Amino acid sequence: MTELAAVKAALKSQAVETPSWAYGNSGTRFKVFAQQGVPRSPREKLDDAAKVHEFTGVAPTVALHIPWDRVDDYAALARHAEERGLRLGAINSNTFQDDAYRLGSVCHPDAGVRRKAVDHLLECVDIMDATGSRDLKLWFADGTNYPGQDDIRARQDRLAEALAEVYGRLGEGQRMLLEYKLFEPAFYTTDVPDWGTAYAHCLKLGPKARVVVDTGHHAPGTNIEFIVATLLREDRLGAFDFNSRFYADDDLMVGAADPFQLFRIMYEVVRGDGLGSDVAFMLDQCHNIEAKIPAIIRSVMNVQEATAKALLVDRAALAGAQAAGDVLGANAVLMDAYNTDVRPLLREVREEMGLDPDPMGAYARSGWAEKIVAERVGGEQAGWGA
Ligand code: PSV
Ligand code: MN
């Protein structure tokens, strides 16, 4: 295979998982702006996700969030997905919206609340059995707001105990993905605040436990690609939650705020053999003021563009410059790839995949946006319950 053919093959087999909640209404804690045509059920979310896959060709799986996507029959939901060329992806737990969780969930000082939270996580594994999902994705809002509020170390012990019980329930081929987040909603301490804490718990649990890097969950200036390189080197990178941030957990379209950062991350993914591996590339975004489906299509395209540039890095030239201590030369190799306009290459890739080379235009011309506005009247629009 020529180098270009290898780049194209990698781009064609890339898979970006889209989040069910991005198709529903969501927003900031100040206001959720409802939009017309928004899905009213998990099935309608999948119908929208199918459009993203139809026009990009690289978004074959959809992550669910429980209880936002709770249905009576998960196997039937999986069939609904299959009939649209999709599969159900990660099952995201939700231990952050129940009144019982005021002081935390799996780290709560009360054993009864911890039991309730763990039972929910076990329910999520039952759902994985029914949907055929590989990954259980855990993010905990647990933490404290005030010094002295609770015992930091005891909370780690409770967390470890809960994770161990759920880990023990995982079936063959199932994985636990542990997501960290610097702060919010807890402001003084967060129980899983960083990749080191997540990694330490995963290491103790075993090989099925992996770390999730949500690109919005770091302090400003954090070198995320370093974290990615390290986790890949340790074989503990489970997944990405892609989005963009200007300030904190903004959940904007990935690649919008800082496409160069996304490129640097994707370069480490390529360098660390993470592309085409079992690392899941998921979006975790909210579209509050912009049209949702086009925003998700744009996000998928942004990931593709960053990936294409990362694949175009002349690795031999880079290694040569690095070995020679040629600081500027090495930097130039990386920047040459970043500054390449990969849009013509991606148009070609899409044509070879039998797709319209312009996914945004193709979606706009498809009439789907008008159809859902006309048809999805009545009922309650899906939202994140915030
Ligand atoms: C938390 O901020 C998070 O990133 C987690 O992944 C949640 O599951 C997701 O957002 C949706 O609220
Ligand atoms: Mn996330």
Side-chain angles (χ1 to χ4, degrees), residues 137 179 214 217 241 284:
K137 185 155 147 278
E179 180 173 355
D214 182 311
H217 290 187
D241 264 5
D284 177 11

Side-chain angles (χ1 to χ4, degrees), residues 260 263 309 312 331-342:
F260 184 42
F263 160 76
K309 291 178 184 203
L312 288 179
N331 178 242
V333 172
L334 216 68
M335 294 312 293
D336 274 349
Y338 176 65
N339 287 319
T340 306
D341 183 357
V342 293

Side-chain angles (χ1 to χ4, degrees), residues 2-16:
T2 66
E3 261 171 58
L4 184 63
V7 168
K8 283 182 171 178
L11 291 168
K12 287 175 193 168
S13 61
Q14 187 169 30
V16 178

Side-chain angles (χ1 to χ4, degrees), residues 11-19 23 45-46 48-64 77-90 131 133-134 279-283 296 300 303-304 353 355:
L11 291 168
K12 287 175 193 168
S13 61
Q14 187 169 30
V16 178
E17 182 160 315
T18 70
Y23 298 98
K45 292 180 195 173
L46 291 172
D48 287 356
K51 292 291 150 186
V52 174
H53 186 43
E54 182 182 328
F55 294 112
T56 63
V58 294
T61 59
V62 183
L64 300 185
L77 189 67
R79 279 196 301 278
H80 185 88
E82 264 162 44
E83 285 159 16
R84 282 148 189 79
L86 299 172
R87 274 173 293 113
L88 298 180
T131 57
S133 297
R134 178 190 58 176
V279 174
F281 298 87
M282 312 189 283
L283 305 179
I296 300 168
V300 171
V303 173
Q304 286 184 297
M353 291 170 79
L355 300 170

Side-chain angles (χ1 to χ4, degrees), residues 15 48 89 203 230 273 283 298 300 322 351 367:
D48 287 356
L203 261 195
T230 302
D273 294 326
L283 305 179
R298 169 63 69 202
V300 171
Q322 288 171 344
E351 272 167 351

Side-chain angles (χ1 to χ4, degrees), residues 211-248:
V211 179
V212 178
V213 175
D214 182 311
T215 46
H217 290 187
H218 307 85
T222 300
N223 185 328
I224 300 176
E225 59 269 30
F226 181 87
I227 298 170
V228 169
T230 302
L231 289 173
L232 275 170
R233 183 170 179 273
E234 300 297 332
D235 201 19
R236 289 289 174 157
L237 180 64
F240 284 99
D241 264 5
F242 278 136
N243 50 52
S244 279
R245 74 193 289 280
F246 288 102
Y247 299 101

Side-chain angles (χ1 to χ4, degrees), residues 21 65 68 92-93 96 137 139 179 181 214 217 241 249 251 284 384:
W21 53 99
H65 215 301
W68 300 338
N92 287 251
S93 61
F96 49 89
K137 185 155 147 278
W139 170 71
E179 180 173 355
K181 181 174 177 176
D214 182 311
H217 290 187
D241 264 5
D249 191 20
D251 279 341
D284 177 11
W384 63 359

Side-chain angles (χ1 to χ4, degrees), residues 72-231:
D72 291 335
D73 186 344
Y74 288 97
L77 189 67
R79 279 196 301 278
H80 185 88
E82 264 162 44
E83 285 159 16
R84 282 148 189 79
L86 299 172
R87 274 173 293 113
L88 298 180
I91 301 298
N92 287 251
S93 61
N94 183 326
T95 52
F96 49 89
Q97 286 188 310
D98 196 292
D99 286 339
Y101 300 138
R102 185 170 61 92
L103 301 179
S105 63
V106 292
C107 303
H108 196 286
D110 183 88
V113 177
R114 297 204 294 278
R115 186 68 255 154
K116 175 185 163 76
V118 171
D119 284 345
H120 168 68
L121 305 184
L122 296 173
E123 178 204 353
C124 288
V125 186
D126 292 342
I127 293 170
M128 290 161 68
D129 290 343
T131 57
S133 297
R134 178 190 58 176
D135 294 333
L136 171 67
K137 185 155 147 278
L138 307 176
W139 170 71
F140 299 109
D142 290 49
T144 66
N145 273 0
Y146 294 97
Q149 180 190 319
D150 197 2
D151 189 275
I152 293 175
R153 171 142 176 188
R155 291 180 74 92
Q156 286 300 307
D157 296 340
R158 297 170 203 148
L159 173 65
E161 196 183 314
L163 292 177
E165 182 176 344
V166 178
Y167 188 88
R169 164 68 182 85
L170 293 176
E172 195 68 27
Q174 291 180 337
R175 312 189 306 173
M176 173 188 279
L177 306 180
L178 183 57
E179 180 173 355
Y180 59 90
K181 181 174 177 176
L182 178 63
F183 80 102
E184 197 201 23
F187 293 109
Y188 168 56
T189 59
T190 293
D191 293 308
V192 190
D194 51 31
W195 75 270
T197 308
Y199 176 68
H201 281 282
C202 288
L203 261 195
K204 275 230 173 85
L205 289 164
K208 294 177 184 173
R210 304 283 168 116
V211 179
V212 178
V213 175
D214 182 311
T215 46
H217 290 187
H218 307 85
T222 300
N223 185 328
I224 300 176
E225 59 269 30
F226 181 87
I227 298 170
V228 169
T230 302
L231 289 173

